[in-house]
């Protein structure tokens, strides 16, 4: 029985995380290049009193983990060299050096300083630069054949959003103190005592929930854009398999390849755009934390 190229599970399987890389069958008979695994136990953990059953330990390595490590190593390698050259006082030379320096200056001048303020932005620049280039690198990994975009997984975007939330909270606490940061969540209002007793706790809870929701949206926005883009690309390429054996195969295949190329160019733009949006919103949230009014 022929496999349905538009089966939802099949399409999602090409986009989601997995313990293997999908490669041509000329490299691996089943099309999967499996990642060597560490300790994996199928036996559930049982507490001492034998009444609480826990899930089995599963330290499974996946392709997104591997790609994230590669992105981190490449970023560290490239920017350590760039930082050493800049520290030596050498003039920027070469397209790569000029490109990276332009991107670094853009994050500083057009993102950090307008959102956080000139005096406070400097201390957060290393974090924002790291965040931007890590997300950008993960996004661009999805453009490589047989790789994938780690930012197409909620575990990755969720972890990035949690890191952003910690940075925002730490920035506010460092600037205002723990009590001052919590008090700043409620705007100053001249209210009668009775209304203040009722409204201020409600507004405080709403603001705290809103703070959490804003960072949740950070994760979901990045996830949705990267996951959906690659899923649509998989659907377009699925038309080639669906038309196999038909008299229209070559026409459909040509149109699919052109559509996939055009969508890939759009995905390249989206990779930069989403890294910028995530970094800009994080900087904006930091600015709101250190300058609440």
């Amino acid at each position: 029985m022929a496999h349905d190229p538009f089966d939802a599970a099949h399409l999602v399987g090409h986009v989601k995380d997995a313990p293997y890389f999908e490669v041509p069958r000329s490299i691996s008979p089943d099309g999967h290049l499996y990642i060597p695994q560490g300790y994996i136990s199928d036996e559930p953990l049982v507490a001492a009193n034998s009444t609480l059953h826990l899930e089995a330990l599963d330290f499974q390595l996946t392709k997104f983990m591997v790609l994230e490590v590669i992105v981190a190593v490449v970023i560290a390698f490239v920017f350590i060299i760039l930082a050493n050259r800049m520290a030596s006082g050498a003039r920027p030379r070469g397209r790569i050096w000029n490109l990276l320096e332009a991107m670094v200056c853009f994050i500083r001048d057009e993102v950090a300083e307008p959102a956080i303020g000139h005096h406070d932005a400097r201390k957060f620049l290393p974090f924002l630069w790291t965040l931007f280039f890590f997300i950008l690198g993960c996004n661009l990994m999805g453009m490589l054949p047989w790789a994938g975009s780690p930012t197409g997984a909620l575990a990755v975007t969720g972890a990035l959003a949690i890191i952003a939330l910690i940075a925002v909270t730490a920035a506010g606490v460092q600037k205002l103190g723990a009590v001052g940061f919590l008090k700043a969540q409620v705007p100053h209002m001249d209210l009668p005592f009775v209304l203040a007793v009722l409204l201020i706790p409600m507004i405080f809870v709403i603001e705290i929930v809103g703070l959490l929701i804003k960072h949740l949206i950070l994760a979901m926005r990045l996830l949705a854009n990267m996951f959906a883009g690659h899923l649509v690309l998989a659907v377009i390429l699925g038309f080639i398999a669906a038309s196999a054996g038909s008299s229209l195969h070559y026409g459909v295949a040509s149109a699919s390849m052109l559509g996939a190329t055009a969508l890939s160019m759009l995905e390249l733009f989206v990779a930069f755009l989403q890294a910028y949006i995530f970094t800009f919103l994080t900087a904006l949230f930091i600015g709101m934390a250190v300058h609440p009014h």
Side-chain angles (χ1 to χ4, degrees):
M1 183 177 178
H3 180 75
D4 182 8
F6 298 116
D7 178 66
H10 174 71
L11 291 173
V12 172
H14 288 290
V15 181
K16 69 177 184 179
D17 200 5
Y20 54 79
F21 288 90
E22 294 189 14
V23 295
R25 295 187 182 276
S26 58
I27 299 178
S28 176
D30 63 351
H32 295 159
L33 184 61
Y34 288 90
I35 301 170
Q37 299 297 323
Y39 174 76
I40 299 178
S41 173
D42 295 329
E43 296 296 329
L45 299 177
V46 182
N49 57 11
S50 300
T51 60
L52 178 61
H53 293 266
L54 304 177
E55 293 293 330
L57 286 176
D58 184 359
F59 298 102
Q60 189 178 48
L61 294 177
T62 66
K63 65 178 180 180
F64 285 175
M65 293 180 183
V66 175
L67 293 175
E68 288 174 71
V69 172
I70 292 175
V71 170
V73 170
V74 170
I75 290 174
F77 176 77
V78 170
F79 280 96
I80 287 174
I81 294 177
L82 178 62
N84 289 334
R85 289 185 179 180
M86 294 178 68
S88 68
R91 292 183 300 173
R93 292 182 179 179
R95 295 180 180 178
I96 296 179
W97 188 351
N98 280 277
L99 174 64
L100 293 176
E101 188 167 339
M103 296 169 72
V104 165
C105 291
F106 176 82
I107 298 298
R108 181 193 65 191
D109 300 335
E110 303 298 332
V111 175
E113 291 186 356
I116 305 175
H118 178 74
H119 296 290
D120 293 317
R122 297 286 175 166
K123 67 177 70 173
F124 299 106
L125 275 174
F127 170 69
L128 295 175
W129 282 333
T130 303
L131 190 66
F132 173 78
F133 284 105
F134 180 77
I135 294 175
L136 177 61
C138 290
N139 291 349
L140 292 177
M141 278 293 177
M143 305 297 297
L144 299 179
W146 315 315
S149 177
T151 43
L154 181 58
V156 177
T157 60
L160 290 170
I162 291 173
I163 292 172
L165 175 61
I166 293 173
V168 169
T169 305
V173 171
Q174 183 183 33
K175 182 76 173 183
L176 306 172
V179 176
F181 175 70
L182 294 175
K183 290 175 61 178
Q185 301 307 307
V186 180
H188 177 72
M189 297 176 291
D190 293 325
L191 296 173
F193 178 77
V194 175
L195 287 178
V197 171
L198 294 174
L199 290 180
I200 289 180
M202 293 174 58
I203 294 174
F204 177 78
V205 172
I206 291 173
E207 290 294 330
I208 294 298
V209 173
L211 181 65
L212 299 176
I213 290 176
K214 286 188 292 188
H215 289 83
L216 175 62
I217 293 174
L218 271 183
M220 298 307 297
R221 178 188 289 108
L222 180 59
L223 168 68
N225 280 277
M226 301 313 301
F227 184 86
H230 293 304
L231 189 60
V232 172
L233 186 60
V235 171
I236 292 177
L237 294 176
F239 282 104
I240 299 176
S243 64
S246 170
S247 58
L248 300 176
H249 175 67
Y250 291 104
V252 172
S254 300
S256 296
M257 291 302 296
L258 290 174
T261 302
L263 184 62
S264 295
M265 295 299 101
L266 178 61
E267 281 290 292
L268 182 62
F269 169 73
V270 170
F272 282 85
L273 178 63
Q274 291 303 315
Y276 163 75
I277 291 175
F278 196 105
T279 306
F280 174 76
L281 290 177
T282 301
L284 190 63
F285 296 157
I286 292 175
M288 294 169 62
V290 299
H291 304 292
H293 303 300

